[in-house]
Amino acid sequence: SMGAVTVNRDEVLRYLGYRRPEADDAVAELADTCLEELKRCAAAKYISRTFSMDIRGACVSFGGVAGESDDLAAPVHSDMLANHLEGCREVIAFAGTLGAPVDRLIHRYSQTTMSRAVVMQAAATAMLEAYCDEWMGELGREARERGLYLRAQFGPGYGDFSIAHQADMLALLDCGRRIGLTMTDSYMLT
């Protein structure tokens, strides 16, 4: 778990589909109050593990993703992921969450005040992105100390990297036990 991060209100509005100065004062104020409420209940956590990897054509193998062991036997088939990782020798598997209290808060508002629930969801997304940026900055510093650098994040569901691999990633990192992050049958993270 890490300390509080600064979340830009404009990022919340961007997730809601607004561009400055389109958002009126009421929406901006609602974004601010949602962020304040989230700060009080968020219990941000993340986990990461570094794996060696192998690329053969469009097949990327690391840490047994989609397989049953920690060897490099079971590949992820993704042209975009293979191109993104070309020249790399390691991959960092990473997951983060704001914690169950945030999910409960959004669910509670979805039962009572849907407009606030929508803004709260956008605020939570912006907050999680801010935490992830902070965490990735730390991982980047650690990589630089080893003479390496990080490429941009690339996750299941992006391009041709199937969302079905999200279950593999959660299992690979033991997210349920380690940070309480799980997945529904429809690939929603909870």
Side-chain angles (χ1 to χ4, degrees):
S1 180
M2 300 185 83
V5 296
T6 300
V7 185
N8 187 324
R9 175 211 289 161
D10 288 344
E11 280 298 291
V12 178
L13 299 176
R14 185 177 66 80
Y15 281 114
L16 290 169
Y18 289 100
R19 294 176 205 266
R20 280 293 203 190
E22 289 176 14
D24 62 27
D25 290 344
V27 173
E29 175 64 25
L30 182 54
D32 286 342
T33 61
C34 285
L35 284 169
E36 286 304 315
E37 195 166 2
L38 282 171
K39 285 178 189 173
R40 289 193 295 272
C41 76
K45 297 178 210 166
Y46 85 101
I47 186 168
S48 67
R49 287 179 66 195
T50 302
F51 299 96
S52 59
M53 64 145 208
D54 184 52
I55 300 174
R56 295 200 176 123
C59 299
V60 180
S61 301
F62 58 95
V65 171
E68 297 180 2
S69 67
D70 276 347
D71 63 18
L72 301 177
V76 171
H77 297 274
S78 168
D79 287 314
M80 292 177 74
L81 182 62
N83 288 336
H84 183 69
L85 295 175
E86 187 176 352
C88 296
R89 62 182 192 227
E90 296 177 344
V91 64
I92 300 174
F94 171 90
T97 178
L98 295 179
V102 169
D103 278 354
R104 286 193 294 270
L105 183 67
I106 292 169
H107 178 73
R108 189 175 78 230
Y109 281 122
S110 72
Q111 304 298 306
T112 59
T113 316
M114 187 51 78
S115 60
R116 189 172 185 90
V118 168
V119 175
M120 191 67 75
Q121 180 67 55
T125 300
M127 181 175 280
L128 183 58
E129 284 295 319
Y131 274 108
C132 287
D133 288 347
E134 183 176 296
W135 295 325
M136 294 307 291
E138 181 58 34
L139 292 173
R141 282 187 288 280
E142 291 172 10
R144 283 191 300 280
E145 289 173 5
R146 297 173 50 221
L148 304 172
Y149 71 94
L150 292 184
R151 297 250 172 113
Q153 298 173 50
F154 196 106
Y158 183 79
D160 65 347
F161 185 7
S162 173
I163 191 74
H165 286 296
Q166 195 150 262
D168 301 318
M169 299 302 292
L170 292 176
L172 184 68
L173 293 170
D174 195 15
C175 287
R177 188 177 66 79
R178 302 283 301 276
I179 62 174
L181 184 64
T182 60
M183 185 185 79
T184 69
D185 291 340
S186 59
Y187 305 109
M188 291 284 298
L189 295 173
T190 60

